[in-house]
Amino acid sequence: LNNVPGELGEALDSDTKLYRMTRPCLRRFLNSFCMLYRHLYLAERAGGVDLGDVQRVDPNIQKFHATAGSDDYSLISTHWDLFPSAKLDYIHEFPGMYNAISQVIFYHNPGYQRRMQERTDVQGLSLGEAYEAVHILPCLMQLYPEIGLEYEEGDWNPTPRNPRDEKWYWVLAGRRIYLVRPGPGPRVCYHPNIITLLSFYLQTKQAA
């Protein structure tokens, strides 16, 4: 490193002004590589499930679903606006101090403006095209609470090692939402329209 004093670099040679990476700097790089690997892993695994024949189902989201899911929306939208590894960086930077995601977002971006939840009480199958998934997921969590939610740094493992695992869950990684299904074989599902993912879940459960 050249001319990078402070917490990212420490003096290696005072004459040539060379610096070496500090432990906090190495830790941040490791966090970033770890989380980016998880993102790439999800993206690669998502190609194993064909959603081309899924018939979309109208989830019939009402205004009260959005109201009831407002706390979930605050949590999900804040994660949505974080860069990869931001939460892990904060947890490692301040061990034992993490309590809420708002700490992380305002640490990395003091001028952050919270998102306003858009109305999602639109009927019909165009819901997924009309709104970003971040506005729809909190409502779906009210309708289908049996589907869990994990974040990029969470303790999830979408490999087919345990075919008895009967847990369905969403994974929010970056600005993508994946659906992980139980059982052996390809488990990670992705579609830009979150209603297609929900429809896949409903049709799979119905066929079981």
Side-chain angles (χ1 to χ4, degrees):
L1 292 177
N2 221 353
N3 298 321
V4 190
E7 63 176 356
L8 297 183
E10 58 186 8
L12 184 63
D13 188 328
S14 59
D15 294 329
T16 58
K17 294 184 179 180
L18 292 176
Y19 293 84
R20 64 184 174 190
M21 299 171 72
T22 61
R23 289 188 177 182
C25 180
L26 290 171
R27 185 171 59 241
R28 291 183 185 180
F29 270 104
L30 183 60
N31 290 340
S32 297
F33 288 142
C34 179
M35 290 302 102
L36 288 174
Y37 172 80
R38 281 192 143 195
H39 285 240
L40 292 172
Y41 176 88
L42 285 168
E44 189 273 332
R45 291 280 175 170
V49 180
D50 184 13
L51 301 179
D53 296 330
V54 173
Q55 298 296 316
R56 271 187 268 167
V57 178
D58 181 3
N60 194 27
I61 294 177
Q62 304 295 325
K63 184 177 180 180
F64 57 82
H65 292 129
T67 302
S70 59
D71 288 342
D72 288 329
Y73 173 76
S74 178
L75 188 64
I76 291 169
S77 63
T78 305
H79 280 87
W80 185 270
D81 289 333
L82 287 171
F83 59 84
S85 83
K87 189 175 177 181
L88 199 60
D89 283 344
Y90 184 91
I91 292 172
H92 287 166
E93 196 78 18
F94 306 101
M97 299 295 291
Y98 175 76
N99 183 57
I101 193 61
S102 58
Q103 296 170 254
V104 180
I105 193 72
F106 287 111
Y107 171 73
H108 291 293
N109 183 7
Y112 177 71
Q113 297 291 322
R114 294 187 182 275
R115 286 170 170 258
M116 296 296 293
Q117 187 172 12
E118 297 181 3
R119 289 184 56 190
T120 50
D121 54 330
V122 174
Q123 304 302 310
L125 301 180
S126 61
L127 181 66
E129 286 90 5
Y131 301 101
E132 286 185 293
V134 65
H135 297 287
I136 303 174
L137 180 57
C139 301
L140 298 184
M141 291 175 65
Q142 296 298 312
L143 286 161
Y144 305 96
E146 68 274 16
I147 307 178
L149 175 62
E150 299 285 350
Y151 299 103
E152 63 173 17
E153 77 291 340
D155 184 20
W156 47 265
N157 181 20
T159 61
R161 294 178 182 173
N162 184 3
R164 293 173 294 179
D165 182 8
E166 295 302 320
K167 180 182 178 183
W168 288 80
Y169 56 93
W170 307 102
V171 176
L172 172 54
R175 292 197 169 187
R176 277 190 164 200
I177 295 176
Y178 299 86
L179 179 63
V180 180
R181 67 177 184 175
R187 298 184 59 195
V188 183
C189 314
Y190 174 74
H191 195 278
N193 188 330
I194 194 173
I195 301 303
T196 300
L197 293 177
L198 174 70
S199 302
F200 174 72
Y201 162 76
L202 295 174
Q203 291 174 27
T204 303
K205 295 286 284 186
Q206 185 177 14

